[in-house]
Amino acid sequence: MTEYFEVLSRDGAARVAELRLADPLATPALVDDVVADAGGLWPEHRDVPEGSDDELTVLPHRGLPAGTADEVAESFAVDYPDVDYPSAAVVNSEHVRACGADAYALSDVQGFLGHARGLKDAVLRAKDAIPEDAALYLSGAATPRNVAVLAYAGVDLFDADRAITLGTQGRYLTTDENHFLEDLDELPCACEACRQPRDEFDRSDCVDHNVAVLEAELARVRGRIRDGRLRDYVEGQARQDQWLTALVRELDQQYGYLEARTPIYRNAHMDATTEDTLNRVEIQRFAQRVTERYRNRFDAPLVLVPCSATKPYSESQSHYQFREVIQYRAHVASITSPIGVVPQELELTYPAQHYDTVVTGEWTDGEVAFVAEVLERYLASNDYPRVIAHVPEDYREIVERALADHPDLDVEFTVADHPTTDESLANLGRALDGESAYGKRERQRNTVKAMADYQFGAGAGDELFGDFEVTSRYPKLQVRADEPPSSGDDQNAAPQLATMVPNYGTLSFTLRGARRWLDSAVPAKRVEIDAFVPHGSVLAPGVVDADDDIREGDEVVVEGPEAFAVGRAQTNGAAMVEATRGEACTVRHVEER
């Protein structure tokens, strides 16, 4: 059981955690000063050390290199003892097994360091075998240039061995380059070691510099994880070395690994600066849900419009002009990179209002291909009488590609030069002549149902709410049951089922709404707890079981012998069950049984 490593926040596979020593250490971090190695068992037997709360004790071990045969690994496997102090076990990435340690150090690092697929495979094998709240330790691997990507992959603990070795060889490390010391006319750093004349700076100073830059980079990584913006940084940092670029792309192909660890929404904005952004879990998840879960409920033509720099789109000047012309006579969907297609009902739903992208006036081939594919899938899953494409010329190829597989669907392009010119807006108005407008009540109800579909599954909006009333004003709509209040309810209002959360474009349930969710055909996400009444939050030790498909940020129903509650997941379902420390979910409403 992991006792001395507690995950505090997550950003995909990366975590900020606390190595709970007498003097706690925030990770990802260097552990040189807190590791006590009890030594290898190859030359002789070693007794289990007494250990200490002041340090992470690496238990007596047999390190096996990369490529060790299964029978050899089995013959020389170490039975690690159960100790009551912070401990680390040394394991081979191809033969990992959990043994109750707080950290697991991979002995075959040098066999895959610099090899993207090999490192990805090693990390995924290790993470699959060790507990969710145990640390992964790579020794002799970290440099200022690679440590951000290694942390993004899921590594928690490092040492400065590689940076020190390279420093003694006269290699001056930075976050973007490894320099030969003799090639530097001046020192591009202001650390303590570099605050001296260049001709006095020697290899011992180079070691001090390398370690200082590595520590500073890890502090930057921890800050990025806490802010939920490590991926933004990694997309740029990975460009500093070809194998790091390859590693990020290898990880992007492991959608299941990253998706399970990626929250449904974040507080931070997303910087879409490279084509690799198209492969982010948040982007792929949004495209998947829009094309598989969302269903248009308006009996009207589709008007495709370009996105806007202002988010949400409806608050932009250009979309205000479109809306004034359309007058709710059509259903509007925005085309954008890197998101794909955003129906008007989901413009608040993460990440549709949470991204900034590079605007050059030209689309890359990758962007055109991705957005066209999403639009084609969207049109295939929704029934429109016709399509009006009110988009500039550079969007036209996307629309034409998407419609190539829909020859029976009429499309009309209405932009003469720019979407907001008088001529273009007049063309848009004429294209909608004779169409009937839909009302405010229909817009609000369809928005709620679309959010429910996106959040809980295809058809959830109709199944969960049926006939319902909408009160309050957009974007803070309240969903109320179309039924009389029962005892204990406000007798002057219909019972409330859910509330719209405008920051993330999601729905949050009341207790009545949670019960309706449980009673419906829509799969609920359940957290089973022990016999207590939670207030504020549920900690991992109190969780008995949780659904595997729960993701951080998901709405969850919390049930136990003494309580029924509804709230939000603070981690994924597997971590709730496996972890021995940390917060599993927050509780919004609770009722004692």
Side-chain angles (χ1 to χ4, degrees), residues 229-562:
R229 301 195 64 188
L230 180 60
R231 172 63 188 235
D232 295 343
Y233 180 66
V234 161
E235 285 189 13
Q237 188 59 23
R239 293 293 189 276
Q240 309 304 331
D241 198 316
Q242 290 92 333
W243 88 271
L244 296 177
T245 303
L247 177 55
V248 171
R249 292 177 179 172
E250 286 283 344
L251 290 167
D252 280 344
Q253 294 177 33
Q254 303 302 312
Y255 181 79
Y257 172 70
L258 292 178
E259 193 277 332
R261 294 164 170 82
T262 301
I264 298 299
Y265 61 80
R266 302 176 189 268
N267 292 321
H269 269 64
M270 177 191 305
D271 289 332
T273 56
T274 74
E275 270 199 22
D276 284 332
T277 302
L278 299 173
N279 297 318
R280 287 182 66 149
V281 167
E282 300 94 322
I283 301 301
Q284 294 293 324
R285 180 192 280 152
F286 187 88
Q288 181 181 29
R289 292 191 177 193
V290 163
T291 56
E292 295 179 4
R293 296 185 176 188
Y294 170 84
R295 177 172 65 83
N296 167 51
R297 292 177 169 86
F298 294 98
D299 183 16
L302 170 66
V303 173
L304 296 172
V305 297
C307 64
S308 66
T310 300
K311 314 290 188 308
Y313 306 136
S314 60
E315 295 182 4
S316 70
Q317 182 62 34
S318 60
H319 280 241
Y320 171 79
Q321 291 176 279
F322 302 155
R323 191 165 59 251
E324 287 294 290
V325 173
I326 295 171
Q327 289 293 312
Y328 303 111
R329 293 176 292 169
H331 180 235
V332 177
S334 300
I335 304 176
T336 176
S337 176
I339 306 296
V341 178
V342 182
Q344 63 189 36
E345 305 98 303
L346 300 179
E347 68 164 3
L348 299 180
T349 301
Y350 183 87
Q353 67 161 329
H354 306 83
Y355 74 98
D356 292 308
T357 189
V358 177
V359 179
T360 64
E362 297 182 359
W363 294 69
T364 67
D365 291 342
E367 288 176 311
V368 170
F370 173 74
V371 178
E373 179 191 359
V374 174
L375 179 57
E376 191 282 322
R377 287 159 51 197
Y378 176 84
L379 293 172
S381 60
N382 288 283
D383 185 21
Y384 290 101
R386 61 192 179 104
V387 176
I388 299 166
H390 192 71
V391 294
E393 185 63 30
D394 53 320
Y395 284 69
R396 187 168 184 135
E397 181 183 355
I398 294 170
V399 177
E400 290 175 340
R401 279 201 199 185
L403 287 166
D405 292 333
H406 301 277
D408 297 332
L409 189 57
D410 293 332
V411 61
E412 179 178 354
F413 290 91
T414 54
V415 171
D417 42 18
H418 187 276
T420 59
T421 62
D422 290 344
E423 182 181 359
S424 296
L425 294 173
N427 291 342
L428 176 59
R430 283 192 293 271
L432 292 172
D433 281 347
E435 297 290 346
S436 300
Y438 47 83
K440 177 180 177 180
R441 184 172 183 271
E442 184 178 1
R443 295 199 309 270
Q444 291 179 333
R445 287 167 59 88
N446 285 353
T447 295
V448 168
K449 290 183 177 183
M451 285 185 175
D453 289 349
Y454 181 94
Q455 190 172 349
F456 303 111
D462 294 320
E463 175 67 26
L464 288 174
F465 301 126
D467 290 329
F468 64 97
E469 299 177 10
V470 178
T471 58
S472 195
R473 298 180 61 184
Y474 182 87
K476 297 182 179 180
L477 302 177
Q478 294 183 354
V479 183
R480 295 186 178 275
D482 187 14
E483 60 189 46
S486 33
S487 91
D489 291 329
D490 180 354
Q491 297 300 303
N492 296 317
Q496 186 172 336
L497 301 175
T499 300
M500 181 175 162
V501 183
N503 289 350
Y504 313 111
T506 58
L507 298 172
S508 62
F509 283 125
T510 62
L511 289 174
R512 183 185 290 267
R515 287 194 177 89
R516 182 175 285 204
W517 188 15
L518 290 177
D519 292 339
S520 74
V522 179
K525 298 191 176 184
R526 302 170 185 253
V527 178
E528 181 185 350
I529 62 172
D530 217 331
F532 65 94
V533 179
H535 295 286
S537 63
V538 174
L539 300 182
V543 174
V544 175
D545 198 8
D547 290 338
D548 286 340
D549 61 349
I550 293 174
R551 301 291 179 260
E552 181 181 340
D554 267 336
E555 196 79 352
V556 292
V557 174
V558 181
E559 294 183 281
E562 297 182 7

Side-chain angles (χ1 to χ4, degrees), residues 27 42 128 141 143 149 151 155 175 218 269 300 310 322 420 456 494 496:
T27 70
W42 289 116
D128 185 56
T143 68
V149 182
V155 184
T175 57
L218 281 164
H269 269 64
T310 300
F322 302 155
T420 59
F456 303 111
Q496 186 172 336

